Amino acid sequence: MSFETTATIASFGGKLLKLAHQAKSTSCQMKLNLYIPPSASSSKPAPVLFYLAGLTCTGDNGAEKGFFQNMASKKGIAVVYPDTSPRGLGIAGEDDAYDFGSGAGFYVDATKEPYAGKYNMYSYITKELPEALFAEFKELDGKRVSITGHSMGGHGALTLFLKNPGMYKSVSAFAPITNPSKCPWGEKAFGGYFGDDQKSKWAEHDATELISKFSGETDVLIDVGTGDNFYKQKQLLPENFEEAAKKAGKNVKVRYHDNYDHSYFFISTFADDHVEHAAKYLFAYKLGQRQKL
Ligand SMILES: N[C@@H](CCC(=O)N[C@@H](CS)C(=O)NCC(=O)O)C(=O)O
């Protein structure tokens, strides 16, 4: 057993597990939440939606106030809520800022010291965590996985989807950082994790750059609140992503919602739509039929 279950909480007929495990890629213990819907069993494994959280968050924020479990239960989808960075590595300064270091791993593998070799959230989310989960929890169907996320986690969802064709059945995002190379949060993170002179590396983790070169089909759902201060401060830049997608002929739907801010009140309002978006693709193949609905 690679996971320790520290709590089991009943939720919408299913169960929310609080898990902890020792991760090699991040050199520390990682905590997460896993929601298993009531319909899931080893003979009828549930497809899986990863929810990547934003700056300052842990796996608890989305599980407690994202309101994903209601629709996930109805649809029969499991939800994984990972942490946002390694914890407690003892790197000098890693806990000093809310937008860099702990709570701000940006879903990349750092190449710059002292974060290189330890801040490996890209490898953790795309490889180590799913492999460990699918080996241990037979109620999960590792072949049907979708991804979504908020803010920094929206950046994570978009870039992981675009960098790994076929790994995820669908992608969506809430108020994502879509052009990190051109916003203060991204410049600070990529400068710190890759180096200011590594612009080609930055581009490899920038959704706006990636969609320009993406060769597959897309159906990306993005929600943004017009009252979101980070949107107003140009940290998110969804307009850049939309423009790049349009130029590349990619299907991206950005919905702008009057008054909504950056908080979990915004996320919870639209959570059902994102679970339904994932469900459309997670259940697109039925009973051995290889035909897309
Ligand atoms: N603490 C930061 C804001 C950080 C922030 O808004 N984080 C978002 C993600 S980018 C979040 O989800 N925070 C945790 C929460 O609302 O539960 C500030 O004061 O500017």
Side-chain angles (χ1 to χ4, degrees), residues 1 9 54 104 133:
M1 297 286 259
I9 301 163
L133 281 172

Side-chain angles (χ1 to χ4, degrees), residues 51 53-57 61 65 98 150-152 185 230 262-264 267:
Y51 169 80
L55 295 167
T56 74
C57 291
N61 300 63
K65 41 187 194 170
Y98 83 92
H150 172 227
S151 196
M152 174 184 73
W185 276 341
F230 298 120
H262 198 69
S263 73
Y264 273 83
I267 298 171

Side-chain angles (χ1 to χ4, degrees), residues 80-265:
V80 179
Y81 304 93
D83 204 349
T84 55
S85 75
R87 302 282 172 179
L89 293 179
I91 297 174
E94 79 177 321
D95 299 328
D96 292 356
Y98 83 92
D99 55 0
F100 186 74
S102 58
F106 267 83
Y107 306 102
V108 299
D109 287 350
T111 52
K112 188 179 170 199
E113 293 298 339
Y115 293 91
K118 303 186 183 86
Y119 267 61
N120 285 333
M121 287 303 287
Y122 178 81
S123 294
Y124 175 68
I125 300 290
T126 57
K127 214 171 154 37
E128 185 171 5
L129 177 60
E131 280 176 10
L133 281 172
F134 302 144
E136 188 154 329
F137 293 93
K138 298 298 175 199
E139 311 94 308
L140 306 181
D141 183 350
K143 292 194 181 66
R144 287 183 294 158
V145 179
S146 282
I147 194 161
T148 186
H150 172 227
S151 196
M152 174 184 73
H155 142 78
L158 293 171
T159 54
L160 268 46
F161 176 87
L162 293 168
K163 283 173 74 59
N164 296 282
M167 185 180 281
Y168 304 103
K169 300 283 182 208
S170 68
V171 65
S172 70
F174 303 83
I177 301 170
T178 64
N179 198 182
S181 310
K182 296 219 167 100
C183 75
W185 276 341
E187 285 166 353
K188 179 172 176 179
F190 287 4
Y193 294 135
F194 300 135
D196 286 327
D197 54 348
Q198 299 296 314
K199 292 286 155 68
S200 63
K201 194 84 196 161
W202 292 31
E204 285 172 29
H205 293 273
D206 185 313
T208 297
E209 300 278 350
L210 288 167
I211 194 122
S212 306
K213 298 181 197 94
F214 191 72
S215 56
E217 278 181 37
T218 60
D219 176 12
V220 184
L221 170 66
I222 293 178
D223 282 316
V224 179
T226 60
D228 180 331
N229 283 330
F230 298 120
Y231 166 60
K232 292 184 203 167
Q233 291 160 14
K234 302 215 172 294
Q235 293 279 21
L236 311 178
L237 301 170
E239 59 279 8
N240 292 8
F241 185 68
E242 265 186 299
E243 199 187 313
K246 201 172 162 195
K247 266 192 200 147
K250 300 296 161 194
N251 180 17
V252 167
K253 184 174 192 183
V254 183
R255 306 189 303 188
Y256 293 91
H257 303 284
D258 283 350
N259 304 321
Y260 282 92
D261 64 15
H262 198 69
S263 73
Y264 273 83
F265 291 106

